[in-house]
Amino acid sequence: MAAGGAGRPSAGHGEQGEKGGARTALAGLTTRGRSFLAAGIAAAICAYVLGQPDLLRVGLLLAALPLICAAVVYRTRYRVAGSRRLSPARVPAGSEARVHLRMDNVSRLPTGLLMLQDRVPYVLGPRPRFVLDRVEAGGRREVSYRVRSDLRGRYPLGPLQLRLSDPFGMCELTRAFSTYDTLTVIPRVEPLPPVRLSGEAKGYGDGRQRSLALAGEDDVIPRGYRYGDDLRRVHWRLTARYGELMVRREEQPQRSRCTVLLDTRGLAYQGAGPDSAFEWAVSGAASVLVHMLERGFSVRLLTDTGNSVPGEGSDGFAGASQESADAAGLMMDTLAVVDHSDGTGLSRAYDVLRGGNEGLLVAFLGDLDEEQAAVAAKMRQRSGGAVAFLLDGDSWTGEPNGAPDPMNRREERLRMLREAGWTALSVPRGAPLNELWRQADRERAGVMTGSGMTGSGTSGGEGWS
């Protein structure tokens, strides 16, 4: 047999099971085959003891039949190529993906009855099995099945397994392909309304700075002509000096920046499962990242551990037109597998933000003590604007955490953030992110216009259920 990865069918002999020799063949005997073999051996022994040659012939026939079937199945050499295709390969939690399997008989001989089985994790559903009838020489069979998971993560699919059997059902052998694919289940993404989170002139929201060079930040001097450049930009003096076409630099809008901070500290969240506070925070971070990319922002994902995605570059941000899809995919893949950290504070994230000029900062925070609330308050100084969603742990679990006056403590943390310039909202259980997003815009606009809306009291969104 031959194994092929998704979309890459290949041909060749699968040698899995060759080393076992006769032991492998005998291990493939079914209950029927073992019964025939045991009956044959028993009949042969009885015939020898009783001196009955006719019974001996029957015993030998019963014992030989399963052995012959095992040898035939073991020596069967079907040249079969398999492929798997995921549609889509990246799916939000709670949505279905379809897996397409294709088997090609690349030999000159038809196959017998085949049972195709794909290995999948239990969280994706039952293991799919298909019975393939005789596949003619050069023929093809295509089957598909659906998988679904409410839990985000990366799940391996495969390898494919083919089960060969003889017409009498005496022996079954399993031959496995060597390749597998990965299904990525990303967090749910909620569409957000296009609000105007206007702020200081740090380069975010609808405000745009001006920067030089159509080709990027490194293009600070006239450069060589590139296909598609406007001929009106040709710098003739430099062209004559260098002997090749040179074009002038020109201004273009600088992309606004947005940093999404996700608090992953294990001690900051209570509960587990798809409806837990931590999963809401992960889904919220994914929603904001996608929303900001769609609005043309340069974005990055930052966690309390100080890890930044898409990664360390000239400024750590990504989202230019040619790389928006790659940046979004990288951040979604990261959020698909992000888990609780062992950290106890936000100091590492603050160190990353010390460079300043971070544009808009959107933070999803768990429970904060007084020290960590002070660290978070200082982050506001490094950004052009800051919005914090503070998850109410007691509301999400329905159980008090034992601290005295948890309501007053939560309000105190919100007050500290607001006094530092944050637009801070408390997130109770079941609060829709799109409504909180609108509320953050309204409260920030109220503060900016001096309307006196400091966000106290009603900012928690306690009315949602």
Side-chain angles (χ1 to χ4, degrees):
M1 291 190 307
R8 303 189 308 275
S10 60
H13 290 286
E15 298 299 334
Q16 183 174 354
E18 289 287 347
K19 296 181 179 180
R23 182 180 301 175
T24 302
L26 293 176
L29 289 176
T30 63
T31 302
R32 180 184 300 178
R34 296 175 186 272
S35 300
F36 269 66
L37 181 61
I41 295 175
I45 294 176
C46 292
Y48 178 78
V49 173
L50 300 176
Q52 297 291 331
D54 293 335
L55 182 59
L56 178 61
R57 298 188 187 96
V58 174
L60 293 177
L61 177 61
L62 292 175
L65 182 59
L67 297 178
I68 294 175
C69 291
V72 171
V73 172
Y74 180 74
R75 300 303 300 176
T76 298
R77 288 295 177 267
Y78 295 139
R79 298 184 65 239
V80 180
S83 64
R84 182 191 297 103
R85 178 172 57 88
L86 305 182
S87 177
R90 186 185 290 118
V91 61
S95 300
E96 289 185 344
R98 183 168 289 274
V99 183
H100 302 269
L101 305 177
R102 192 181 78 179
M103 303 299 299
D104 295 276
N105 183 9
V106 296
S107 65
R108 298 181 180 180
L109 298 175
T111 69
L113 189 67
L114 303 176
M115 190 177 80
L116 180 65
Q117 177 177 277
D118 205 7
R119 299 183 62 181
V120 300
Y122 72 94
V123 296
L124 298 181
R127 180 171 296 182
R129 293 182 175 89
F130 306 93
V131 177
L132 304 181
D133 203 353
R134 177 179 179 273
V135 182
E136 65 279 5
R140 174 189 302 173
R141 296 290 185 272
E142 295 184 2
V143 294
S144 65
Y145 63 94
R146 294 177 296 180
V147 291
R148 179 182 180 275
S149 175
D150 292 327
L151 301 175
R152 55 185 176 82
R154 293 173 61 87
Y155 301 102
L157 300 179
L160 280 171
Q161 293 180 336
L162 277 180
R163 183 171 296 177
L164 311 177
S165 63
D166 63 281
F168 302 102
M170 298 288 181
C171 181
E172 290 184 350
L173 291 182
T174 300
R175 302 290 177 86
F177 293 85
S178 59
T179 57
Y180 64 92
D181 293 276
T182 301
L183 175 69
T184 303
V185 180
I186 62 176
R188 295 184 180 92
V189 175
E190 182 177 349
L192 300 180
V195 300
R196 292 175 59 90
L197 287 170
S198 56
E200 302 171 8
K202 286 280 188 175
Y204 77 95
D206 291 325
R208 300 279 185 169
Q209 296 182 11
R210 307 294 294 179
S211 67
L212 295 175
L214 185 63
E217 295 178 355
D218 296 332
D219 191 8
V220 296
I221 60 175
R223 57 172 174 79
Y225 175 83
R226 298 172 184 172
Y227 179 79
D229 286 339
D230 191 345
L231 291 177
R232 290 175 295 183
R233 294 175 52 207
V234 174
H235 195 297
W236 296 109
R237 182 178 299 176
L238 290 178
T239 296
R241 177 182 299 177
Y242 291 105
E244 60 176 339
L245 284 177
M246 304 292 292
V247 295
R248 296 184 181 90
R249 60 188 179 182
E250 66 177 26
E251 290 185 345
Q252 69 169 4
Q254 179 175 323
R255 296 175 63 86
S256 305
R257 292 179 171 182
C258 176
T259 297
V260 177
L261 172 61
L262 176 62
D263 182 6
T264 63
R265 296 173 300 138
L267 55 81
Y269 299 93
Q270 302 179 42
D275 298 326
S276 64
F278 181 67
E279 292 301 321
W280 190 98
V282 173
S283 177
S287 302
V288 173
L289 288 169
V290 171
H291 177 73
M292 288 303 182
L293 279 174
E294 291 175 348
R295 292 189 61 192
F297 280 67
S298 293
V299 300
R300 71 172 173 180
L301 171 66
L302 179 65
T303 65
D304 59 286
T305 60
N307 294 328
S308 179
V309 181
E312 300 297 334
S314 58
D315 55 7
F317 290 83
S321 57
Q322 67 271 18
E323 60 184 21
S324 294
D326 294 339
L330 181 58
M331 288 183 286
M332 291 299 105
D333 288 345
T334 302
L335 289 176
V337 297
V338 69
D339 201 355
H340 292 295
S341 69
D342 297 329
T344 59
L346 302 174
S347 58
R348 293 183 181 179
Y350 174 73
D351 292 338
V352 175
L353 296 172
R354 280 184 175 179
N357 194 23
E358 299 298 329
L360 178 63
L361 175 60
V362 181
F364 292 86
L365 305 173
D367 290 331
L368 299 176
D369 56 24
E370 185 175 358
E371 179 182 356
Q372 299 312 314
V375 174
K378 291 190 296 183
M379 295 180 184
R380 172 63 180 86
Q381 304 171 3
R382 307 299 179 180
S383 62
V387 179
F389 297 98
L390 187 61
L391 279 79
D392 180 3
D394 297 330
S395 172
W396 283 87
T397 60
E399 300 177 358
N401 57 14
D405 297 328
M407 180 67 71
N408 294 336
R409 188 187 66 170
R410 183 171 66 254
E411 291 298 329
E412 176 65 20
R413 305 296 181 258
L414 291 171
R415 184 189 62 79
M416 292 177 61
L417 295 178
R418 290 167 187 151
E419 289 182 350
W422 284 83
T423 301
L425 304 178
S426 178
V427 182
R429 183 181 182 88
L433 179 60
N434 57 354
E435 292 297 331
L436 291 173
W437 190 249
R438 289 192 182 95
Q439 184 177 351
D441 179 54
R442 291 194 300 267
E443 294 198 6
R444 181 164 182 80
V447 173
M448 295 291 292
T449 58
S451 63
M453 291 181 60
T454 59
S456 61
T458 59
S459 64
E462 300 292 345
W464 287 299
S465 60

